Amino acid sequence: GAVVSQHPSRVICKSGTSVKIECRSLDFQATTMFWYRQFPKQSLMLMATSNEGSKATYEQGVEKDKFLINHASLTLSTLTVTSAHPEDSSFYICSARDNGGVREQFFGPGTRLTVL
Amino acid sequence: SQQGEEDPQALSIQEGENATMNCSYKTSINNLQWYRQNSGRGLVHLILIRSNEREKHSGRLRVTLDTSKKSSSLLITASRAADTASYFCATHGNKLVFGAGTILRVKS
């Protein structure tokens, strides 16, 4: 099946710093990618929909200036958590939708962010 | 919110028993999907059922969908310790929205 990678898998940073997470579709093109956030023992919450070549669409309550999304190519989307604070510590998961006929959504392995 | 609700929130069974998890949702959908997540890991896609389907099987998994009740169930037969994980339903309208999940523990 199609593979989506995320980098880094884990990151620990100091409060106030910015962290960039990459999401790549390795063997398919993805016009649309999605970013989810998951707190411990909770479900995945959709943060934003990332569209190649255009601005991301953010879900209600998600600060677009806090969570910067760039989808510069058909295989790469990045999420930057700006001025991170301890409450931003979470598991961030991306997914990519295959542009092909199936239009299935494939998930990355997630990035564990810990803000000290 | 389109987010679904799942019950039970947690389920503990003995190896060999069947496990049933239910999911309810609020809006119309194109399909409904079930995923598994091992602790601290990414999602594994289990099965997709389209809105015009009522039942689907895949190995030890059986999924039902009742669009009139806006509900779905996932049955895992002859459970194994390796089935221990969180299970999420996700409904697909124009985007994928996840339910709250069921934490399944299979004791050996």
Side-chain angles (χ1 to χ4, degrees), chain B residues 23-73:
Chain B
C23 166
S24 61
Y25 56 93
K26 298 178 182 178
T27 63
S28 61
I29 60 171
N30 296 324
N31 61 63
L32 185 144
Q33 302 176 43
W34 284 89
Y35 289 83
R36 187 184 76 206
Q37 184 182 36
N38 289 81
S39 181
R41 307 289 290 274
L43 295 174
V44 174
H45 183 263
L46 295 177
I47 197 166
L48 179 153
I49 186 166
R50 302 189 190 285
S51 60
N52 61 352
E53 297 176 309
R54 292 297 167 259
E55 187 171 314
K56 201 162 184 179
H57 297 254
S58 176
R60 292 184 297 113
L61 305 180
R62 173 178 163 245
V63 169
T64 63
L65 178 64
D66 186 336
T67 53
S68 66
K69 295 180 180 178
K70 290 188 168 55
S71 67
S72 173
S73 68

Side-chain angles (χ1 to χ4, degrees), chain A residues 10 34 36 38 41-46 49 59 91 93 97 103-105 107-110 112, chain B residues 3 6 33 35 37 39-43 45 48 88 92 94-101 103:
Chain A
R10 290 177 180 269
F34 304 88
Y36 294 84
Q38 184 180 32
K41 298 187 178 180
Q42 293 189 28
S43 185
L44 282 75
M45 298 297 296
L46 180 64
T49 301
E59 295 299 304
F91 195 51
I93 302 175
R97 181 183 287 165
R103 291 179 59 81
E104 189 173 337
Q105 203 166 316
F107 285 82
R112 173 76 58 195
Chain B
Q3 188 173 26
E6 292 177 65
Q33 302 176 43
Y35 289 83
Q37 184 182 36
S39 181
R41 307 289 290 274
L43 295 174
H45 183 263
L48 179 153
F88 297 95
H92 195 227
N94 61 345
K95 53 191 175 186
L96 207 55
V97 179
F98 285 82
I103 300 172

Side-chain angles (χ1 to χ4, degrees), chain A:
Chain A
V3 178
V4 175
S5 71
Q6 278 184 245
H7 179 79
S9 57
R10 290 177 180 269
V11 57
I12 300 172
C13 69
K14 292 182 179 180
S15 187
T17 60
S18 294
V19 175
K20 180 185 284 188
I21 303 170
E22 293 185 349
C23 176
R24 293 181 186 272
S25 57
L26 297 186
D27 50 3
F28 66 98
Q29 293 185 332
T31 302
T32 306
M33 292 185 175
F34 304 88
W35 287 96
Y36 294 84
R37 179 175 183 175
Q38 184 180 32
F39 290 108
K41 298 187 178 180
Q42 293 189 28
S43 185
L44 282 75
M45 298 297 296
L46 180 64
M47 298 174 66
T49 301
S50 170
N51 301 297
E52 187 265 337
S54 64
K55 291 182 179 181
T57 304
Y58 290 82
E59 295 299 304
Q60 193 172 10
V62 178
E63 299 176 59
K64 61 181 181 181
D65 295 331
K66 171 79 173 172
F67 299 99
L68 299 179
I69 291 172
N70 184 280
H71 193 157
S73 78
L74 288 172
T75 59
L76 173 65
S77 175
T78 60
L79 168 68
T80 301
V81 183
T82 62
S83 187
H85 290 282
E87 57 265 31
D88 298 324
S89 298
S90 188
F91 195 51
Y92 292 88
I93 302 175
C94 75
S95 72
R97 181 183 287 165
D98 188 347
N99 282 359
V102 177
R103 291 179 59 81
E104 189 173 337
Q105 203 166 316
F106 301 96
F107 285 82
T111 296
R112 173 76 58 195
L113 171 64
T114 303
V115 185
L116 302 177

